[in-house]
Amino acid sequence: MVNKIPGMGALIRSLYQFKDKRLERKLFGLTFPNPVGLAAGFDKDAKLYQELSNFGFGFVEIGTLTPKPQSGNLKKRLFRLSQDKGLINRLGFNNQGVEASVERLKKNKGVLIGGNIGKNKLTPNEEAVSDYVKCFEALFPYVDYFVVNVSSPNTPNLRALQDKKPLTNLLQTLKDLNLKKRIPKPLLLKIAPDLSELQLMDIIDIITSVKIDGVIATNTTLSREGLQSPHKTEMGGLSGKPLAERSTEVIRFLNEKSNNAFPIIGVGGIHSPQDALDKLNAGASLVQLYTGFVYEGPAVIKKINKALLQTA
Ligand SMILES: Cc1cc2nc3c(=O)[nH]c(=O)nc-3n(C[C@H](O)[C@H](O)[C@H](O)COP(=O)(O)O)c2cc1C
């Protein structure tokens, strides 16, 4: 393990971190050291956030966490689509439960953390709100912002929670709880790239009426358009290059139709500085990556940040 070798953290930081005051972003009342974050799903159980931050990420989103531990779907459940620079996963929220992460987060020495929360597979949608509430309450002292994940394709029926009525109810409940805290935390919604324009208009309505802080666009897609790789027929969510254009389109749509009413974190197929710029130009304030980190390696973070300075 990298963290077990003395001096390894410092060595990695010296190779990969790129600090510059001009990269700082102030958003939701938080100061992000740079706008390039690690997307949810990589450090599901908050085991590696310190090491991942050493690679230069401005923030790390942990989770998706659920109240109870669960093992997720049967293996094999993650597929590399090399020709397409994509991944298909159907992990199904494998995680050790929110309390295990809380213990690890108590040791955090300054990494900016997003807490991505969901529901257990066996919790029916009618009772889903209570799962999100449990995760929200347990994580509250230990994360900087929250992400309500209703957009994973790998938990049966989860995406039905994106419909207007259940989503308004879920977000309003969390918002009310948040407002009771001495200092509320930013509350964001993570959405799927497969929503129609009508559904996206509903999302704008809900965000602006419940007044949550922002959106993460997008999660993985069910689309299989234009793929070459043998694994293209596997079930699950597709991420990486093939998702880039659609997620940028969703960001642009939300930004334009809402009249820039709320901040957006852009994610989906960022493998290069240009991909990050496309998301920012479409209206994102911050970006995240997962699959690009896998294919391009950690150097891509510094590359993006350096390029952002040149265009600033
Ligand atoms: C293996 C894998 C697991 C993921 N797990 C989660 C998750 O638990 N929660 C979540 O909100 N998104 C999850 N995602 C989605 C990513 O956070 C991201 O939204 C998506 O992959 C698009 O970004 P990318 O193209 O940079 O990977 C996962 C993605 C992958 C590839």
Side-chain angles (χ1 to χ4, degrees):
M1 288 290 288
V2 273
N3 59 341
K4 295 283 191 306
I5 303 171
M8 187 59 103
L11 177 64
I12 290 176
R13 279 195 295 278
S14 74
L15 286 172
Y16 292 108
Q17 276 194 353
F18 182 65
K19 289 197 173 163
D20 192 302
K21 195 87 181 140
R22 289 170 296 167
L23 287 170
E24 272 185 19
R25 297 290 184 275
K26 290 194 194 306
L27 203 68
F28 320 121
L30 300 170
T31 302
F32 294 78
N34 72 64
V36 185
L38 178 65
F42 197 98
D43 191 16
K44 284 183 187 274
D45 285 306
K47 286 180 173 168
L48 283 173
Y49 58 86
Q50 182 58 63
E51 288 75 11
L52 289 161
S53 132
N54 290 343
F55 283 118
F57 285 115
F59 57 110
V60 173
E61 195 169 302
I62 59 145
T64 296
L65 288 164
T66 57
K68 293 184 202 144
Q70 60 179 29
S71 52
N73 293 319
L74 292 177
K75 293 177 181 174
K76 193 174 176 202
R77 55 191 184 181
L78 177 58
F79 304 87
R80 201 180 257 262
L81 283 70
S82 303
Q83 289 104 309
D84 304 299
K85 284 208 168 184
L87 296 171
I88 291 178
N89 92 81
R90 49 170 181 268
L91 298 183
F93 291 172
N94 53 308
N95 78 105
Q96 298 177 343
V98 68
E99 292 300 339
S101 278
V102 163
E103 288 312 307
R104 297 188 188 105
L105 290 169
K106 286 179 181 170
K107 302 189 183 103
N108 184 12
K109 294 191 192 76
V111 181
L112 202 152
I113 300 281
N116 183 308
I117 58 177
K119 73 162 194 83
N120 280 111
K121 182 180 178 183
L122 295 180
T123 305
N125 273 9
E126 300 72 49
E127 292 160 32
V129 174
S130 101
D131 273 16
Y132 287 87
V133 166
K134 282 178 195 156
C135 292
F136 176 82
E137 292 289 9
L139 283 174
F140 192 87
Y142 307 104
V143 299
D144 297 289
Y145 69 85
F146 278 99
V147 182
V148 179
N149 182 11
V150 284
S151 50
S152 164
N154 300 314
T155 294
N157 253 336
L158 185 82
R159 284 167 307 142
L161 295 174
Q162 290 177 127
D163 290 349
K164 199 160 191 175
K165 209 169 153 206
L167 187 57
T168 306
N169 178 37
L170 171 61
L171 293 178
Q172 191 65 59
T173 305
L174 292 171
K175 167 95 187 181
D176 291 347
L177 276 177
N178 201 23
L179 284 177
K180 287 192 187 127
K181 305 286 183 189
R182 195 171 58 83
I183 305 174
K185 301 241 153 127
L187 202 55
L188 280 69
L189 173 71
K190 185 162 178 179
I191 61 167
D194 305 322
L195 298 175
S196 67
E197 292 197 348
L198 271 179
Q199 288 173 308
L200 288 172
M201 291 307 292
D202 277 352
I203 296 285
I204 292 175
D205 253 18
I206 297 167
I207 304 287
T208 48
S209 63
V210 181
K211 294 194 181 65
I212 67 160
D213 300 275
V215 169
I216 301 197
T218 67
N219 214 315
T220 54
T221 179
L222 290 174
S223 161
R224 295 293 185 264
E225 228 178 283
L227 297 179
Q228 307 298 324
S229 311
H231 285 311
K232 65 183 178 188
T233 53
E234 290 294 342
M235 283 193 359
L238 171 69
S239 59
K241 279 262 175 208
L243 172 62
E245 227 175 281
R246 176 60 190 159
S247 68
T248 303
E249 211 172 86
V250 170
I251 294 163
R252 183 170 295 114
F253 185 92
L254 290 177
N255 195 46
E256 283 178 8
K257 299 288 176 194
S258 74
N259 230 334
N260 203 1
F262 44 81
I264 300 169
I265 301 184
V267 51
I270 298 178
H271 291 237
S272 70
Q274 188 56 52
D275 297 333
L277 284 171
D278 290 347
K279 296 278 188 282
L280 296 167
N281 291 336
S285 303
L286 304 170
V287 294
Q288 291 178 322
L289 53 156
Y290 184 139
T291 308
F293 184 55
V294 172
Y295 275 95
E296 315 302 328
V300 70
I301 309 158
K302 190 178 197 170
K303 255 191 217 163
I304 294 172
N305 276 319
K306 277 190 159 175
L308 291 182
L309 277 189
Q310 274 156 20
T311 56

